[in-house]
Amino acid sequence: MRLQGKIAAVTGAGSGLGRGIAVEFAVQGAEVIVIDRDPDGAERTVGAIAAAGGKAHRIVIDIADRGQVEDGFRQIKERFRRLDILVNNAGITGRSRGDGPVGECLPEAWDEIVGVNLRGTFLCSRHAVNLMTGQGGGGAIVNVSSVLGLVGCQEHFTSHAYQASKAGIIGLSRSIAAYYAKHGIRCNVIAPGLIESPATGKVRQDAAALEFVRRMQPLGELGRPEDVARAAVYFASDESAFVTGQVLAVDGGWTMQ
């Protein structure tokens, strides 16, 4: 098993991509800390991991809340004394919150989306690197961005606060990778395309948007959570021991065009 004996925390693990990553990590031998603000979703993920024969624990926090993040990582330190892997997956999308092209995006939508997606990634990474360096160094951080953090889009996916937050994650990750390499901490990024998950439910009901995606993702209409999970396992495992600061687009070919 590729993550045998590792302690891994996955944010946004109560559903969708996060649940897929958490379950795959457990299958690969990690003991998984399921982090989500939805207690029921977190509990379902813990149950799915137990059903797969793995070990999991839940921590219910909102990653946009500094105090809650501090409390969550205090629990990790007290219970496990170390952290080997952090996956920053938690995030929110924008249109229903007032996101859109920059001329139409509501400032409060910008604050909320950037606050969860980028600030939440920063807060969790801050505590993770301090825990990892305090335990003598070594560890892997995997941040989940988006294909929309790599490219602009003129139709169907014009949520500029969301796109800015996801591009910011890439910049933050490269800075973490450069600075903390001396401590043996690696930081890499996955940039998914359109993946079948609860977060993409509305898009999957929009025929015009799906037709656009078919053109942009020539390998298929939708990716699967396990596609992202397998990439996360690679970045979290010793197989990528000489890889840091990289962005892997799991996007069906979107960014090759």
Side-chain angles (χ1 to χ4, degrees):
M1 291 187 278
R2 298 157 72 190
L3 302 177
Q4 185 66 44
K6 303 290 188 181
I7 303 296
V10 182
T11 72
S15 64
L17 298 185
R19 178 175 292 168
I21 292 169
V23 172
E24 185 63 25
F25 274 24
V27 168
Q28 294 298 332
E31 190 164 354
V32 181
I33 303 160
V34 174
I35 299 176
D36 204 283
R37 64 183 181 183
D38 174 15
D40 294 334
E43 192 59 38
R44 284 191 290 271
T45 300
V46 169
I49 289 172
K55 293 183 180 180
H57 317 268
R58 74 171 191 173
I59 293 179
V60 179
I61 59 171
D62 181 348
I63 64 160
D65 186 298
R66 177 179 178 180
Q68 291 187 40
V69 173
E70 288 178 352
D71 181 64
F73 278 83
R74 176 189 56 77
Q75 292 180 53
I76 292 172
K77 184 176 182 180
E78 289 178 354
R79 179 161 190 168
F80 300 99
R81 302 298 177 186
R82 76 178 205 274
L83 182 66
D84 302 303
I85 302 160
L86 169 67
V87 179
N88 283 304
N89 164 78
I92 57 175
T93 54
R95 283 291 187 164
S96 63
R97 294 174 169 85
D99 197 0
V102 71
E104 302 169 20
C105 177
L106 299 177
E108 54 267 33
W110 176 279
D111 291 343
E112 181 182 10
I113 293 160
V114 173
V116 174
N117 295 0
L118 183 54
R119 186 171 186 268
T121 296
F122 153 69
L123 289 173
C124 292
S125 297
R126 177 176 182 267
H127 286 281
V129 296
N130 287 334
L131 184 52
M132 289 171 178
T133 55
Q135 66 200 23
I141 297 175
V142 183
N143 291 331
V144 179
S145 176
S146 168
V147 64
L148 296 176
L150 292 169
V151 299
C153 194
Q154 297 185 54
E155 53 182 311
H156 300 297
F157 298 96
T158 51
S159 300
H160 289 175
Y162 176 81
Q163 292 179 47
S165 72
K166 292 299 187 177
I169 286 171
I170 293 172
L172 174 63
S173 301
R174 285 174 170 156
S175 296
I176 291 170
Y179 185 84
Y180 287 96
K182 60 179 176 274
H183 296 287
I185 297 171
R186 299 180 295 106
C187 184
N188 291 288
V189 183
I190 301 170
L194 192 69
I195 307 294
E196 187 172 349
S197 73
T200 60
K202 289 185 177 180
V203 173
R204 289 185 280 119
Q205 295 172 11
D206 184 330
L210 278 180
E211 180 55 37
F212 172 78
V213 171
R214 290 187 189 101
R215 297 197 308 270
M216 300 306 294
Q217 297 187 164
L219 281 181
E221 182 177 285
L222 297 172
R224 301 168 299 168
E226 50 263 44
D227 295 323
V228 179
R230 290 166 186 155
V233 168
Y234 168 69
F235 277 143
S237 74
D238 292 340
E239 294 168 15
S240 60
F242 202 55
V243 179
T244 195
Q246 300 305 304
V247 182
L248 175 58
V250 183
D251 65 354
W254 189 317
T255 53
M256 75 178 177
Q257 302 179 67

